[in-house]
Amino acid sequence: MSSDSQGSIKGEAAVMPSPSTPASSQGPPLSPSTTSKPPELPDELVQAGWSKCWSRRENRPYYFNRFTNQSLWEVPVLGQHDVISDPLGLNAAPAEGGDSNLGNGQRKRRISEEQGAGPNSLKRTKVEPTTPISPSTPGVKPWNSAPEDKQAQPTVPTTPTPAPAPYRPAVIYWDLDIQTNAVIREQPHANHLPPHPEIELQRAQLVTKLRQHYHELCHQREGIDPPRESFNRWLLERKVIDKGQDPLLPSDCDPVISPSMFREVMNDIPIRLSRIKYKEEARKLLFKYAEAAKKMIDSSRNASPESRKVVKWNAEDTMSWLRRDHSASKEDYMDRLEHLRQQCGPHVTAVAKDSVEGICSKIYQLSAEYSRRLRQTHLSLLQDPPTEASESPQQSRLVYCYPVRLAIPSPQLPRVELHFENDVACLRFRGEMVKVNRGHFSKLELLYRYSCIDDPRFEKFLSRVWCLLKRYQVMFGSGANEGTGLQGALPVPVFEALNRQFGVSFECFASPLNCYFKQFNSAFPDIDCFFGSRGPFLSFCPVSGSFEANPPFCEELMDAMVTHFEELLEKSSEPLSFIVFVPEWRDPPTPALTRMEASRFLRHQMSVPAYEHEYRSGSQHICKREEMYYRAVHGTAVLFLQNDAGFAKWGPTPERLAELMAAYRPSPSRPSSMSSPGPAHSNPGDKDSTPKPPERTSSGITSPSAHDNNNNNSNNSSSSSSSSSSTSPMDKMAAV
């Protein structure tokens, strides 16, 4: 026994030297910390999903297959049977060599006996190694690998049995091989605090608490439920003007009162108006509105005598008409409701104005306090707290756009657990689990490899993926189907036509989860930068390039977007083009659409009718395949904003426009729901729909490969990619 133990020590030392330092807290490392780098596995094994790991418990190396979750103490052999589909190895081909007559189990047992047990035990019980938390080996593409990338590896016994193929998504909704034509001026590193799971977990708890406060204030002060997704739109509208330091919670805004939140809450006072289909529903809604308006005026202390008189008289007159006339049609009830709202609406608004402003102010003050608390905790976790540095002058060198780079180094990150449930990757930290399908998990892995320069061994990959998913989960909200409209994206054929016909290679509003190109703007530069984001669009200043803009349906954000478009087009003499997709709301028209139609940079405009085109769901990273697309319930206006050089290079010719429209036609073989997650923008004359906010599930140039593929250049940025909508000021007067 003692000789066997001594032999095992020599055998293991030949395989891999013993670790000299403990493993990092990120989880079981890809290899032990040693002075010499251990030999890599043959490329065939790596492509089959095998990686070499270190067992801290057994103090020896082991091999793990990330596709089958199989763990082996010995070097795996290609052609070895699959323990899941063939547990006994009956279909496995025998390996070449002296052990060809032995079964797979006997071969493994003989090698284990030759290595022996540890020096301090008579016979060590075989324990399965802990599942390593790591993506595929860095530097190797998980789906395909060019022949020139392969290095000479020692030969291993092979059999005719094919190796398991790497995971390939059934349908791919992105093309990360397209290089950018967006040119910018070189930017300094950003001063955002690097993401940390502890901080992200605390932020999620505080945002949930803030949502609860909003719900309680609406109930206590106005007796209504908060308008659906109005909190999400409040986050979007505030971040347009916010100068605070938290990536999600607004903390430095002027004005303090949010126009978006004030408008949406006021629209639901005195009651929320719902969709009407039948006459009895219209009758009941009219009665409830009259009763609620009268009760609100009677119970208010600051109502003027004139307001009390007008509201009380109109409410009683409506109730008397309801008791007297039982033969009215649905249209009669809806006309009466519109008249009642016109008469009582201004008085009800005057009474509720101070209370609703108090709700908006209270929520903002709590958000600012939570933001301050989060930053203090975050700074305490950093090894070297940042110092206030003066802004460096803007560089004059022109380069192809590159991801945002953080000036503050990332601290050591805690461990995040990973396991797979069918085709869903589940990441857990302190009991909080986030999920993403395996296709999008592989996409995040590719984006991370292209964009991240401070983690070549993927030791922080899972922690950053957890922070990314948690951030967007918190922004979406926890309600059923809530937030699915915040990241709606164009169909893949439309992106292909835009790239082929108009040279589009960049998305102005996207996220790592729903982007089609690997270069995009997004909402959260602190975490999205590791996955290719170029930062928020409103702070992104390209000199040339062709861009696609599908903004969140938030009126304040769209208006700021148009202002930024015109400033960029005015300054640049290089080819610059923006193709903008916005909802075609005509009655009343949105200010952003009106301004773009009157812009001197408008080269062409076309309209895609409602129900004749689709969007990709904002929850595409977790939804089922049959729920990936939905039909748009409103028309979409497509506007081409280009300067003279951009028009000469990417002008909207009839042939190009025809191919774009053809790409917009829904495929008959592709399943899609018949309506979007939220109702369309309603017209004042629409008698059968409620004036609810529409919702949508959402430049001397350096080579671009030097920034994206080799991961060795500067800044990384993030874009505002959430998608939402807000009501028009005229919606208050719209009939239901």
Side-chain angles (χ1 to χ4, degrees), residues 217-329:
L217 287 172
C218 289
H219 265 283
Q220 293 171 0
R221 298 194 179 192
E222 303 301 333
I224 62 171
D225 290 329
R228 185 175 183 267
E229 298 212 35
S230 61
F231 186 88
N232 299 337
R233 283 185 287 274
W234 174 77
L235 289 175
L236 281 176
E237 181 265 330
R238 294 280 87 182
K239 295 310 290 185
V240 174
I241 60 175
D242 183 39
K243 299 178 182 178
Q245 296 175 316
D246 191 87
L248 182 60
L249 290 170
S251 59
D252 186 6
C253 300
D254 185 27
V256 172
I257 306 300
S258 166
S260 173
M261 180 179 286
F262 179 85
R263 182 172 60 240
E264 293 195 41
V265 175
M266 196 66 76
N267 279 346
D268 281 1
I269 295 175
I271 64 170
R272 174 178 296 178
L273 302 177
S274 57
R275 287 179 178 269
I276 299 302
K277 292 184 179 180
Y278 306 106
K279 182 180 74 172
E280 289 303 320
E281 293 178 350
R283 178 186 175 89
K284 185 182 298 185
L285 185 64
L286 177 59
F287 178 81
K288 285 184 176 181
Y289 186 92
E291 185 181 41
K294 183 175 181 296
K295 181 180 179 181
M296 180 177 178
I297 289 293
D298 290 341
S299 62
S300 175
R301 295 181 179 181
N302 59 346
S304 66
E306 180 67 20
S307 295
R308 294 180 188 273
K309 178 181 177 181
V310 172
V311 173
K312 186 176 181 179
W313 186 88
N314 280 278
E316 291 178 351
D317 180 66
T318 299
M319 292 179 182
S320 176
W321 179 80
L322 286 172
R323 289 190 294 266
R324 186 174 62 249
D325 192 349
H326 296 278
S327 61
S329 64

Side-chain angles (χ1 to χ4, degrees), residues 662-675:
Y664 241 131
R665 298 190 188 100
S667 172
S669 62
R670 182 171 61 220
S672 67
S673 60
M674 289 305 296
S675 63

Side-chain angles (χ1 to χ4, degrees), residues 176 180 182 401-404 443-444 447 451 468 472 487 505-525 527-537 540 547-548 708 716-721:
L176 307 183
T180 184
C401 68
Y402 51 87
V404 170
K443 174 190 179 182
L444 293 177
L447 289 172
S451 306
L468 172 78
Y472 282 96
Q487 284 206 111
S505 64
F506 194 103
E507 298 170 73
C508 297
F509 299 91
S511 75
L513 298 173
N514 76 343
C515 65
Y516 178 80
F517 307 108
K518 66 172 179 285
Q519 46 272 343
F520 56 90
N521 292 131
S522 67
F524 308 118
I527 180 61
D528 293 347
C529 66
F530 299 106
F531 302 91
S533 172
R534 272 63 171 167
F537 173 70
F540 181 72
F547 302 84
E548 175 267 348
D708 288 327
N716 191 358
S717 147
S718 158
S719 104
S720 64
S721 80

Side-chain angles (χ1 to χ4, degrees), residues 398-693:
L398 294 178
V399 296
Y400 284 106
C401 68
Y402 51 87
V404 170
R405 306 299 184 204
L406 300 185
I408 306 172
S410 177
Q412 191 175 23
L413 300 180
R415 168 176 176 162
V416 169
E417 299 175 359
L418 168 69
H419 70 276
F420 291 94
E421 297 177 359
N422 297 326
D423 281 342
V424 177
C426 305
L427 296 90
R428 184 190 299 272
F429 174 73
R430 294 192 181 276
E432 290 286 332
M433 181 183 294
V434 293
K435 297 182 178 181
V436 61
N437 62 51
R438 292 191 66 174
H440 281 76
F441 185 77
S442 299
K443 174 190 179 182
L444 293 177
E445 184 181 351
L446 283 175
L447 289 172
Y448 193 81
R449 180 173 295 113
Y450 289 147
S451 306
C452 181
I453 61 173
D454 68 341
D455 186 26
R457 297 183 59 189
F458 277 55
E459 294 173 347
K460 302 174 182 177
F461 172 73
L462 288 183
S463 295
R464 287 169 174 170
V465 170
W466 189 91
C467 292
L468 172 78
L469 295 174
K470 195 66 178 177
R471 177 79 58 83
Y472 282 96
Q473 182 189 77
V474 169
M475 187 185 69
F476 287 166
S478 57
N481 297 323
E482 184 179 3
T484 55
L486 294 181
Q487 284 206 111
L490 300 178
V492 171
V494 176
F495 273 116
E496 293 174 343
L498 289 174
N499 174 255
R500 187 167 53 250
Q501 298 298 324
F502 301 98
V504 173
S505 64
F506 194 103
E507 298 170 73
C508 297
F509 299 91
S511 75
L513 298 173
N514 76 343
C515 65
Y516 178 80
F517 307 108
K518 66 172 179 285
Q519 46 272 343
F520 56 90
N521 292 131
S522 67
F524 308 118
D526 62 319
I527 180 61
D528 293 347
C529 66
F530 299 106
F531 302 91
S533 172
R534 272 63 171 167
F537 173 70
L538 297 181
S539 60
F540 181 72
C541 300
V543 176
S544 70
S546 183
F547 302 84
E548 175 267 348
N550 178 26
F553 292 176
C554 169
E555 291 185 14
E556 291 79 6
L557 178 59
M558 290 193 292
D559 199 44
M561 171 196 71
V562 177
T563 301
H564 194 52
F565 282 158
E566 293 185 340
E567 291 177 353
L568 295 175
L569 291 168
E570 190 73 41
K571 291 178 181 178
S572 179
S573 59
E574 298 296 324
L576 191 59
S577 169
F578 296 97
I579 304 178
V580 191
F581 299 79
V582 293
E584 195 169 19
W585 297 332
R586 292 296 182 184
D587 198 2
T590 57
L593 182 57
T594 304
R595 289 180 58 192
M596 285 190 289
E597 290 177 334
S599 174
R600 70 182 186 90
F601 297 105
L602 180 66
R603 304 297 179 173
H604 185 78
Q605 178 180 353
M606 69 180 192
S607 177
V608 186
Y611 297 102
E612 295 184 14
H613 64 293
E614 300 173 326
Y615 284 100
R616 271 186 295 141
S617 171
S619 59
Q620 58 183 275
H621 59 287
I622 53 175
C623 72
K624 299 178 181 178
R625 184 178 176 184
E626 57 269 19
E627 301 173 353
M628 180 65 68
Y629 288 91
Y630 62 86
R631 296 289 175 92
V633 298
H634 53 73
T636 296
V638 185
L639 302 99
F640 294 76
L641 302 180
Q642 300 169 330
N643 60 9
D644 294 337
F647 178 68
K649 187 172 184 178
W650 300 299
T653 63
E655 295 78 12
R656 291 172 173 174
L657 294 174
E659 180 165 345
L660 179 60
M661 285 297 294
Y664 241 131
R665 298 190 188 100
S667 172
S669 62
R670 182 171 61 220
S672 67
S673 60
M674 289 305 296
S675 63
S676 65
H681 188 81
S682 59
N683 300 334
D686 186 1
K687 306 291 184 180
D688 299 326
S689 62
T690 307
K692 289 294 176 186

